[in-house]
Amino acid sequence: MAAGTSSYGWRFDAGRICLDLVATGTGSSGAGACEQLDRPARLADWLVASGLVPKGTPLTAVDDTWIARFRELRAGIDLLVTAELAGRGDDGALDRINALAAVPTPGLRAVRGKGGVLVRALSAGPGCDGLLAVVARDAVDLLTDPAAREGLRRCEGDACRRLYLDTSRGRRRRWCSSEVCGNRERVARHRRRVKAVP
């Protein structure tokens, strides 16, 4: 997953598409967080920005039912990963994610783009079930890969609950993003030091 932002400022630094989906919710970023998948246009933008569908793919079918279903998957992934981190599991969330992961995913093909360069395209119009399956399978892959599971973390930033995959050397990453939560922590630490000086 390439890091970057779109016109809405999406963050893709969690390390997995399933964790990036969880980060779109209000419970992922602590106080002041707002629902990011609040209308069909925003979900369509996230689908493109995340790489689930290639840029330029018509997403006219995205509607409020898609939003409800992506939010439901997001909640299930959050519940399951949180439970796994706590060592207890959540079989209800696991069953829902497994059911979604069993659906066929969209087919990909290479087509000639501008200048004759090969670019990705979907072999058929994207359906909600197939795109949910891609994210659900990513969650299954993450949770069944011992090395990846070992890197699952929750951000240590004040008021941040984002989940991320720590792939740093020595697995010492503390924040979902050094530029966001890490910077906030450094600024807060600096202010405490300045305030403590007589």
Side-chain angles (χ1 to χ4, degrees):
M1 176 60 53
T5 60
S6 74
S7 59
Y8 291 117
W10 302 111
R11 285 177 53 193
F12 296 106
D13 52 6
R16 297 297 285 256
I17 189 66
C18 62
L19 300 179
D20 288 330
L21 176 62
V22 172
T24 66
T26 57
S28 65
S29 299
C34 62
E35 174 61 59
Q36 295 181 49
L37 302 180
D38 58 353
R39 60 188 182 275
R42 296 265 295 188
L43 175 57
D45 186 67
W46 184 84
L47 293 170
V48 173
S50 68
L52 280 175
V53 298
K55 189 174 183 176
T57 302
L59 292 169
T60 55
V62 177
D63 61 13
D64 289 336
T65 60
W66 284 47
I67 292 171
R69 295 189 66 206
F70 270 88
R71 285 180 180 177
E72 184 180 345
L73 174 58
R74 178 182 69 194
I77 293 169
D78 193 13
L79 281 171
L80 183 58
V81 172
T82 299
E84 290 296 316
L85 283 172
R88 62 179 192 277
D90 185 318
D91 289 340
L94 179 61
D95 290 342
R96 289 189 301 275
I97 290 167
N98 280 334
L100 289 170
V103 173
T105 59
L108 291 176
R109 59 191 178 106
V111 297
R112 297 273 175 209
K114 292 181 181 178
V117 175
L118 291 175
V119 295
R120 285 185 328 134
L122 296 179
S123 56
C128 188
D129 289 343
L131 296 176
L132 289 167
V134 173
V135 180
R137 285 184 188 178
D138 185 57
V140 169
D141 288 343
L142 171 63
L143 293 170
T144 58
D145 177 349
R149 275 179 64 110
E150 187 67 30
L152 272 172
R153 303 279 185 273
R154 184 155 314 266
C155 183
E156 294 179 21
D158 289 341
C160 183
R161 293 190 60 251
R162 276 180 64 115
L163 295 162
Y164 65 91
L165 190 61
D166 182 1
T167 57
S168 67
R169 188 185 310 195
R171 301 261 169 119
R172 294 185 183 149
R173 184 173 160 190
R174 297 180 48 215
W175 305 294
C176 61
S177 168
S178 182
E179 293 79 22
V180 179
C181 288
N183 193 48
R184 285 183 194 143
E185 180 67 26
R186 288 186 288 274
V187 168
R189 198 169 43 228
H190 173 73
R191 286 182 180 155
R192 286 191 298 271
R193 280 196 308 265
V194 168
K195 193 174 182 179
V197 173

